Amino acid sequence: MANEEDDPIIQEIDVFLARSLLEKLYLFQYPIRPASMTYDDVTHLSAKIKPKQQKVELEMAIDTLNPNYCRSKGEQIALNVDGTCTDETSTYSSKLMDKQTFCSSQAANNVSRYAAAVYKKGELHLTPLHGILQLRPSFTYLDKADAKHREREAANEGGDSSQDEAEDDVKQITVRFSRPETEQARQRRVQSYEFLQKRQAEEHWVHLHYYGLKDSRSEHERQYLFSQGHGLAENTELIKSPSEYLMMLMPPSIEEENDKPVAPSNVLSMAQLRTLPLADQIKILMKNVKVMPFANLMSLLGSGTDSTAVLRCIQQVAMLVQGNWVVKSDVLYPKDTSSPHSGVPAEVLCRGRDFVMWKFTQDRWVVRKEVAAVTKLCPEDVKDFLEHMSVARINKGWEFMLPYDEDFVKKHPDIVQRQHMLWMGIQAKLEKVYNLLKEHLTPKKQEAQSAHPLLVSGEQRVNMAKAKVKQNYGQLEKEFQKQKAEMKSNDTSAKMDVSNIRIKEEPVSDEEPMDTSAYEGMNNGIVNGLHAEDSADSLNGHLPGGCIDRVAQELKAFVSSTFKKQFVLTLSELKRLFNLHLASLPPGHTLFSGISDKMLQDMVLDTGCKQILVPFPPQTAASPDELKVYALWEAGDTYDQHRQVLLEIFSKNYRVRRNVIQNQLSQECGEDLNKQEVDRVLKDCCVSYGGMWYLKGTVQS
């Protein structure tokens, strides 16, 4: 208490965290200069940076009029570097050393504990530093002087030698061919000092503009050192508990961390793993295991882990295949990486692996040659994909390594449905990229397996569905009573009897369901872990009148909002967007009751859209859904007439040049449109490819 009274608190200062220059602020440490000369007086001639290496090079002018400057020495250095001739390549064009170059080096590897502080009006504003660079004089001009000296000596020696000595006899040489480089030799070469120096030299310099201390632009940038918002939400990093604040002030020493035994990079410590956030735990486990049932994942995460939180996190890093979780391709192949076998970029690898995963959602067996023929990847990459999730069987192909997890599918039908919608979107992308044929989309018939018979007949499906109805009789009766109470006000509604409920064995119309249902002809009866009988309840069952109205309203809202954003869509693209929309909806939403192609197309026409009969070329490879083009006819803005003229043009032409469109718009609308107006109309409805304009979604590459 006595010490506190002797050292009272004089002032409390509010501390704010400025984010505007986060990961952009560097601290430059210049060499010590005479006290009479500040860096504000120095003229910066040029500045350049290599961002990846965080390397900076500054060129500063030397005051040659200073009494401490030795002019004779400066002239001698310029003569040694450039020689007697002066041209554009000369380092010192004034024949005097009038500038000096400074190169940077990192002063500290970890700068997370450093920040730049500005005190203003009783407030302290902190901006974390992204790097601390020390600038030291560069003497590369001496290397240039040595090179000039060696060139002069070589020229003198060449002049003294006779012509006879220059004409040497023809000598026999031996040609040797280098061996193919092994993987170990390649890794040693990549880690060598020469290779790293070469990579650093290959990075191009980015030239910068230097602004002085008193420049208006410097003053503008200096304002970013102050926090833009003073609310608590902007400075949550500064609000810490006493224990966290103490840990920040006194972090564990590096020596203590180094004393811990270091495990191999491919070995996970479960004790260390469970100290990480749940999302990171799941990502690390899936990245190492690659394929895992949900029950095994829960056992690895330990008791007390919330299964709902795990389901939310697992969908960020994995996809559902036959009821099991398989790690996503972009987790294994991050951006800006490449194949260790062929050097193919990560984007192409992800696309090829997604194709393999999608094939396993269609069948338990995949043929390696078929994958290689479609993806056009090298055999080593294809083998890696297959080894991640399957096992090779002699004379049969590759079989998915885990059995179908029926328990998970029954317990989590909403997750299964959402994953199915995501796979439909991936399938649409793969069809466009690989130009998949019908034989690729339809699973091949396999011989019946004695151990696990997967073939389910139509009669068995009906019997299983009837049994399921009987089991859920009580729930159906409650739903029926609720629907009956809602429909009393409707005199035209028909009375229903629960005892008369039957499973439809044949469709009542020729209308085909949209691609949100299971594919036909699948020999294992599953689509991404979804049994055919599980989806029959919603697609084959009759919907009550009130439910139909709600479905129509939801579908109309989706179609209207989509066309107001896109203006022109093919049926294929509209179905893809609808599948993504379904995947974002909560479980049990009314749109999951089943939407057919015909319902979707009728709703498009009801919302004021029209079908544009685009004259596609005869040799087009577009699918029937891609040939159906719909456009919003009236959006209620000033460009309706212009868009209608544009759509009329494309109803007669598959592709059109811009000048033809502009002339037609001027003639029909009776006014000269400027470039901005034409660009606006073209942006709404068209895309440019190879100097021609096409309606959206109709370009055939």
Side-chain angles (χ1 to χ4, degrees):
M1 294 295 295
N3 293 336
E4 292 182 0
E5 293 177 357
D6 294 340
D7 190 13
I9 297 175
I10 300 176
Q11 182 182 5
E12 291 186 358
I13 300 174
D14 293 331
V15 180
F16 297 94
L17 181 64
R19 293 175 170 272
S20 300
L21 297 179
L22 200 64
E23 298 185 357
K24 298 178 182 178
L25 188 62
Y26 290 85
L27 175 64
F28 288 0
Q29 295 179 344
Y30 289 86
I32 299 175
R33 301 185 70 86
S36 59
M37 187 176 185
T38 64
Y39 278 97
D40 191 31
D41 302 327
V42 176
T43 302
H44 289 70
L45 300 178
S46 65
K48 53 186 178 181
I49 185 173
K50 289 186 177 182
K52 292 183 180 179
Q53 304 175 35
Q54 292 190 1
K55 184 176 181 180
V56 177
E57 191 172 286
L58 300 179
E59 203 173 72
M60 300 183 182
I62 298 177
D63 185 10
T64 57
L65 301 179
N66 192 292
N68 296 324
Y69 181 80
C70 182
R71 192 173 185 86
S72 60
K73 199 69 174 178
E75 292 175 349
Q76 183 62 42
I77 293 175
L79 181 63
N80 294 339
V81 173
D82 298 327
T84 56
C85 61
T86 55
D87 51 18
E88 295 180 355
T89 61
S90 300
T91 304
Y92 304 110
S93 57
S94 63
K95 296 185 179 182
L96 192 67
M97 183 180 177
D98 54 358
K99 58 185 177 182
Q100 188 174 12
T101 303
F102 291 86
C103 284
S104 68
S105 61
Q106 292 189 11
N109 293 328
N110 184 13
V111 296
S112 59
R113 301 175 60 183
Y114 298 92
V118 181
Y119 182 76
K120 181 180 180 182
K121 296 181 180 179
E123 298 175 350
L124 186 64
H125 298 260
L126 301 178
T127 302
L129 291 177
H130 190 56
I132 301 177
L133 304 179
Q134 290 183 346
L135 295 172
R136 295 184 175 88
S138 174
F139 301 100
T140 54
Y141 60 89
L142 296 178
D143 298 334
K144 191 174 181 180
D146 292 340
K148 291 274 187 180
H149 180 68
R150 285 194 294 270
E151 289 178 1
R152 286 194 294 267
E153 288 184 348
N156 294 335
E157 292 177 359
D160 295 339
S161 61
S162 62
Q163 184 176 358
D164 295 336
E165 293 176 351
E167 297 176 357
D168 295 334
D169 295 336
V170 177
K171 295 182 180 180
Q172 182 180 1
I173 60 173
T174 303
V175 179
R176 295 182 180 179
F177 296 93
S178 60
R179 298 178 181 177
E181 189 178 29
T182 62
E183 182 64 22
Q184 294 181 349
R186 189 188 70 83
Q187 291 181 358
R188 287 196 298 269
R189 179 176 59 82
V190 169
Q191 297 175 359
S192 64
Y193 176 76
E194 291 80 8
F195 183 82
L196 295 177
Q197 288 292 102
K198 182 180 178 182
R199 288 289 299 272
Q200 291 179 1
E202 287 176 353
E203 184 180 0
H204 297 291
W205 286 101
V206 178
H207 291 274
L208 308 174
H209 295 283
Y210 177 82
Y211 299 111
L213 181 64
K214 299 179 181 179
D215 194 283
S216 59
R217 282 163 290 195
S218 297
E219 180 62 29
H220 175 74
E221 291 291 327
R222 211 155 32 242
Q223 296 302 318
Y224 289 122
L225 293 173
F226 298 98
S227 176
Q228 303 300 317
H230 293 177
L232 291 177
E234 298 285 337
N235 297 277
T236 54
E237 288 83 354
L238 301 180
I239 302 176
K240 301 291 183 182
S241 63
S243 59
E244 292 175 336
Y245 186 67
L246 184 61
M247 184 63 68
M248 293 172 63
L249 292 178
M250 301 179 63
S253 62
I254 301 177
E255 290 77 7
E256 294 178 0
E257 295 179 357
N258 291 338
D259 291 341
K260 298 179 182 179
V262 179
S265 58
N266 60 341
V267 176
L268 283 175
S269 169
M270 295 304 296
Q272 294 180 357
L273 181 68
R274 289 175 180 173
T275 61
L276 301 175
L278 180 61
D280 293 340
Q281 294 184 45
I282 295 175
K283 183 176 181 180
I284 292 173
L285 286 172
M286 292 305 304
K287 191 173 181 180
N288 284 270
V289 182
K290 297 181 178 61
V291 183
M292 191 186 307
F294 186 73
N296 291 13
L297 178 62
M298 291 298 297
S299 64
L300 290 174
L301 295 175
S303 60
T305 307
D306 184 14
S307 61
T308 305
V310 175
L311 283 172
R312 187 167 53 251
C313 295
I314 188 66
Q315 296 182 72
Q316 305 298 322
V317 296
M319 295 291 291
L320 193 65
V321 178
Q322 300 195 21
N324 300 281
W325 291 100
V326 181
V327 63
K328 287 185 177 180
S329 302
D330 54 3
V331 176
L332 292 180
Y333 303 108
K335 192 177 181 182
D336 298 331
T337 60
S338 59
S339 166
H341 305 295
S342 59
V344 172
E347 181 182 359
V348 180
L349 292 175
C350 291
R351 201 159 52 219
R353 188 174 180 274
D354 286 346
F355 176 75
V356 175
M357 293 171 63
W358 172 76
K359 289 291 289 182
F360 277 119
T361 66
Q362 309 295 299
D363 204 342
R364 285 197 61 83
W365 297 86
V366 168
V367 180
R368 177 176 172 180
K369 291 183 178 179
E370 179 185 348
V371 175
V374 173
T375 60
K376 303 295 190 298
L377 293 172
C378 71
E380 290 79 8
D381 289 332
V382 175
K383 186 179 179 181
D384 284 351
F385 299 159
L386 294 170
E387 288 178 343
H388 290 168
M389 62 194 84
S390 58
V391 179
R393 305 295 186 191
I394 299 176
N395 297 330
K396 291 186 178 181
W398 292 76
E399 184 185 13
F400 193 71
M401 63 171 54
L402 295 179
Y404 167 67
D405 193 349
E406 191 171 357
D407 293 337
F408 179 84
V409 174
K410 288 183 177 180
K411 291 180 181 179
H412 306 282
D414 53 338
I415 300 294
V416 174
Q417 180 70 8
R418 183 169 299 184
Q419 287 290 311
H420 176 58
M421 297 304 169
L422 293 175
W423 276 119
M424 293 299 297
I426 293 175
Q427 176 185 338
K429 293 181 180 178
L430 293 175
E431 289 179 7
K432 288 186 176 181
V433 173
Y434 293 130
N435 295 323
L436 298 181
L437 303 176
K438 188 175 181 180
E439 60 186 20
H440 296 137
L441 301 177
T442 304
K444 294 185 177 180
K445 294 184 179 180
Q446 296 285 343
E447 297 180 358
Q449 302 296 319
S450 58
H452 301 283
L454 299 175
L455 186 61
V456 181
S457 65
E459 184 179 357
Q460 289 176 329
R461 292 184 182 180
V462 173
N463 293 334
M464 293 168 63
K466 288 180 179 179
K468 186 175 180 181
V469 170
K470 291 180 180 179
Q471 292 176 359
N472 299 333
Y473 180 84
Q475 182 179 358
L476 291 173
E477 185 176 8
K478 290 180 182 179
E479 293 179 357
F480 166 70
Q481 295 296 339
K482 183 178 179 181
Q483 294 170 1
K484 188 175 180 181
E486 293 177 354
M487 297 170 61
K488 279 185 178 180
S489 58
N490 190 355
D491 296 332
T492 60
S493 62
K495 295 183 179 180
M496 299 176 62
D497 188 359
V498 177
S499 62
N500 294 329
I501 294 180
R502 294 292 184 269
I503 300 300
K504 293 198 321 180
E505 300 183 10
E506 295 292 335
V508 298
S509 67
D510 296 332
E511 178 182 329
E512 296 182 359
M514 211 179 78
D515 290 341
T516 57
S517 62
Y519 284 101
E520 295 180 353
M522 303 184 73
N523 62 347
N524 58 357
I526 60 172
V527 177
N528 191 19
L530 179 64
H531 278 288
E533 62 270 17
D534 292 340
S535 61
D537 295 343
S538 62
L539 294 179
N540 289 340
H542 290 290
L543 295 174
C547 184
I548 292 176
D549 293 339
R550 291 195 298 271
V551 171
Q553 292 175 2
E554 292 287 342
L555 185 60
K556 186 174 183 179
F558 163 76
V559 172
S560 299
S561 62
T562 302
F563 272 94
K564 285 181 180 178
K565 295 177 183 176
Q566 304 291 342
F567 289 99
V568 176
L569 286 172
T570 62
L571 180 59
S572 175
E573 180 66 12
L574 180 61
K575 288 165 63 175
R576 187 186 71 83
L577 295 175
F578 182 66
N579 286 333
L580 294 178
H581 177 65
L582 287 179
S584 65
L585 296 177
H589 196 274
T590 55
L591 286 180
F592 285 113
S593 58
I595 305 297
S596 66
D597 286 1
K598 188 175 184 303
M599 291 173 60
L600 187 62
Q601 295 178 72
D602 291 344
M603 185 58 67
V604 170
L605 298 177
D606 290 344
T607 53
C609 299
K610 289 188 178 182
Q611 184 175 359
I612 309 301
L613 301 178
V614 179
F616 284 86
Q619 68 276 12
T620 181
S623 63
D625 287 347
E626 291 176 335
L627 295 177
K628 296 180 181 179
V629 184
Y630 295 93
L632 182 61
W633 196 251
E634 292 183 357
D637 57 13
T638 57
Y639 294 97
D640 277 347
Q641 183 182 2
H642 305 90
R643 280 192 290 266
Q644 292 171 9
V645 172
L646 184 64
L647 295 174
E648 291 290 346
I649 295 174
F650 280 101
S651 65
K652 302 175 183 177
N653 303 276
Y654 172 60
R655 55 184 180 180
V656 189
R657 293 191 180 276
R658 180 190 174 94
N659 58 347
V660 176
I661 295 175
Q662 190 160 359
N663 293 337
Q664 191 73 15
L665 287 174
S666 300
Q667 293 176 6
E668 296 291 338
C669 300
E671 54 181 311
D672 292 334
L673 301 178
N674 56 36
K675 183 178 182 299
Q676 289 75 15
E677 292 175 331
V678 177
D679 288 344
R680 166 66 187 274
V681 176
L682 291 175
K683 182 181 178 182
D684 290 343
C685 305
C686 305
V687 293
S688 177
Y689 183 78
M692 304 293 288
W693 287 88
Y694 303 77
L695 277 185
K696 289 181 178 178
T698 63
V699 179
Q700 302 297 321
S701 57

